[in-house]
Amino acid sequence: MNPLALAPPQQPVAGGGQLVLAALLGIGLIVVLITWLKVHPFLSLTLGSLTVGLVAGLPMADTVKGFGEGFGSTAASVGALIALGAMFGKLLADSGGADQIVDTIVGRAGPRALPWAMALVGALIGLPMFFEIGLVLLMPVIFLVARRSGLSLIQVGIPALAGLSAMHGLVPPHPGPLVAIDALKADLGVTLGLGVLVALPTIAVSGPLFARYAARWVNVPAPELYRTAENGSENGAEADPEADPGKDEPERSRPSFGLTLGTVLLPVVLMMGKALADILADEGTRVRTVLDNLGTPLVALLIAVVVAMFTLGLGSGMDRGRIATSLERSLPPIAGILLIVAAGGGFKQTLIDTGIGKLVADWVDGSGMSVLLLAWVVAVLIRLATGSATVATVTASGIMAPLVTTLSTGETSLLVLAIGAGSLFFSHVNDAGFWLVKEYFGLSVGQNIKTWSLMETIISVSGLVFVLALGLII
């Protein structure tokens, strides 16, 4: 887990008004640079970070150091995963495996059922996996389902994102819920059961139901990323045979649906095994040690890529040269994504270093609001200020911990879920996930706010509503 995210809240470096002004100016500058001046998001995020530090009164040396730490931490935590996911996705596409999955899904589900099917897939993959990992594994499937079914990319993609995000924020063994469970001394089994109970209707509302309207507001074609040779000339243009290994082999067989699905689920199973071992097996036992090693995200994805070279690559008739070319050509398209996501992490760290998260926590501490509502509001405010769901969860849990002695086991678990729901509220330009989704889906900042940011808000608000409803019973 990222040590920066779990550090105690930074003490404010200036007065409240000055820090709020610094955050507003920094975020405003980023939005203006990107939307009006058309400056690359990487440069915009860097300039916005420096502006926040300057206005807040943080020494420039400390601002640059903090930005570098956040940049490096984000790149280290998700950079290699994104690269491995891109390799896996390119093999899945070039081998015909993604087409096989798409044909099966489209063939068995009508247009009305597809968004619900994608939401279910997102939830299943999102249960044991970090959001970023699940996203990079699902992207080729999302793109190809949108192309083949004729549905909007938003109508297909939003349900999958909702499934991933809701599980990430509400259901252990994800880091956020686990941190809150530990801080509040909640029962993991009860929290897991209630988390799934809250997550399922939340996904339905924020995924397939919301996607119907979001697709009307934003209508974009599936980006060229992961376009396969078979559909590379959909618009009448010839596909580049070098960019799509196997262009000269249109009759090459596809891997079977079962083999493809098994390969896609391999990293999911490995990481789920680690999660279950951490919960059920005693520390130091051989089984837990093996599963912990195999289920580490980097190792699990690396194993998946190696296995895919055989099951998807050689299994579809690709020779070693074409497999190597496919892997090589998977990396250039994600270079910009890596820089933007890492810069988003740097901007988030600058906000943390100024003490804005601690300031927001102090403002709401001691309020007379409902315990569940207060926990949600605290997490929302810190989430908006820092862009980090983990920081919001850690800080809100620390504030609410003294109140746990007055709550029952079920109420304590609901408190964990209220904090988790609040930590997902309105992802915007200070959240690395905002830029990850924007770049993958090829959206503008405005389009991303209308779809991704609003979806996150609906997850947060719907989650709170269902938590409050359960609070009336428990």
Side-chain angles (χ1 to χ4, degrees), residues 289-323:
T289 300
V290 171
L291 291 177
D292 277 348
N293 289 333
L294 293 178
T296 301
L298 180 65
V299 175
L301 272 176
L302 182 60
I303 291 174
V305 170
V306 174
V307 170
M309 292 169 65
F310 291 91
T311 59
L312 302 181
L314 296 178
S316 66
M318 297 172 68
D319 59 28
R320 288 178 295 177
R322 286 188 172 85
I323 293 174

Side-chain angles (χ1 to χ4, degrees), residues 10 37 72 193 203 221 225 229 232 236 245 251 269 279 313-314 357-358 369-370 397 399 455 461-462:
Q10 184 73 31
L37 297 179
I203 292 170
L225 192 63
E251 300 300 325
V269 172
I279 295 171
L314 296 178
K358 177 64 167 60
M369 299 170 59
S370 159
S397 299
I399 292 174
M455 182 208 77
V461 175
S462 298

Side-chain angles (χ1 to χ4, degrees), residues 78-454:
V78 303
L81 301 180
I82 292 175
L84 288 171
M87 289 180 171
F88 186 92
K90 196 69 166 70
L91 275 176
L92 185 65
D94 288 342
S95 67
D99 288 321
Q100 188 72 279
I101 292 177
V102 170
D103 288 344
T104 302
I105 293 176
V106 173
R108 295 182 180 179
R112 289 189 177 184
L114 268 178
W116 295 92
M118 295 303 294
L120 178 61
V121 170
L124 290 175
I125 291 183
L127 181 61
M129 301 179 69
F130 292 127
F131 176 84
E132 293 85 358
I133 307 171
L135 179 63
V136 297
L137 286 177
L138 279 178
M139 287 319 299
V141 176
I142 291 173
F143 290 167
L144 289 173
V145 167
R147 292 190 187 110
R148 293 292 183 83
S149 67
L151 295 177
S152 163
L153 176 64
I154 300 301
Q155 195 170 356
V156 171
I158 285 294
L161 293 180
L164 286 172
S165 183
M167 289 295 180
H168 178 75
L170 296 173
V171 181
H174 285 289
L178 285 181
V179 167
I181 288 170
D182 180 68
L184 301 175
K185 308 304 178 185
D187 183 275
L188 191 147
V190 173
T191 306
L192 178 61
L194 292 176
V196 172
L197 195 60
V198 170
L200 292 179
T202 298
I203 292 170
V205 173
S206 60
L209 296 180
F210 168 65
R212 295 180 185 177
Y213 300 96
R216 300 174 187 173
W217 305 333
V218 177
N219 186 14
V220 293
E224 295 298 317
L225 192 63
Y226 301 133
R227 180 177 287 274
T228 64
E230 184 176 329
N231 57 32
S233 56
E234 284 176 354
N235 298 321
E238 266 316 297
D240 179 6
E242 293 185 359
D244 292 296
K247 171 66 178 178
D248 56 342
E249 289 186 304
E251 300 300 325
R252 188 182 65 230
S253 62
R254 296 175 179 177
S256 68
F257 175 75
L259 184 62
T260 302
L261 185 62
T263 305
V264 170
L265 292 179
L266 175 62
V268 179
V269 172
L270 290 176
M271 282 182 270
M272 177 63 84
K274 178 184 184 302
L276 293 176
D278 290 343
I279 295 171
L280 302 176
D282 294 331
E283 188 172 358
T285 60
R286 178 168 301 187
V287 171
R288 178 164 176 177
T289 300
V290 171
L291 291 177
D292 277 348
N293 289 333
L294 293 178
T296 301
L298 180 65
V299 175
L301 272 176
L302 182 60
I303 291 174
V305 170
V306 174
V307 170
M309 292 169 65
F310 291 91
T311 59
L312 302 181
L314 296 178
S316 66
M318 297 172 68
D319 59 28
R320 288 178 295 177
R322 286 188 172 85
I323 293 174
T325 301
S326 180
L327 294 175
E328 177 185 350
R329 292 185 177 275
S330 69
L331 297 179
I334 65 169
I337 295 176
L338 291 176
L339 285 175
I340 293 168
V341 170
F347 182 58
K348 177 200 73 178
Q349 189 60 39
T350 302
L351 292 175
I352 294 174
D353 289 344
T354 60
I356 291 175
K358 177 64 167 60
L359 179 68
V360 172
D362 289 343
W363 280 347
V364 298
D365 194 12
S367 171
M369 299 170 59
S370 159
V371 173
L372 296 178
L373 183 59
L374 173 60
W376 182 81
V377 170
V378 171
V380 164
L381 292 176
I382 299 171
R383 159 72 160 179
L384 290 174
T386 66
S388 171
T390 304
V391 171
T393 300
V394 171
T395 307
S397 299
I399 292 174
M400 303 307 296
L403 302 176
V404 172
T405 55
T406 64
L407 303 177
S408 67
T409 300
E411 290 171 334
T412 304
S413 293
L414 291 179
L415 186 62
V416 171
L417 299 180
I419 292 173
S423 72
L424 298 176
F425 190 87
F426 195 74
S427 166
H428 62 102
V429 296
N430 63 351
D431 178 17
F434 177 92
W435 301 104
L436 188 64
V437 173
K438 173 190 175 298
E439 294 304 312
Y440 265 130
F441 277 70
L443 303 175
S444 68
V445 170
Q447 289 173 327
N448 209 34
I449 289 175
K450 292 177 182 178
T451 53
W452 161 254
S453 299
L454 192 51

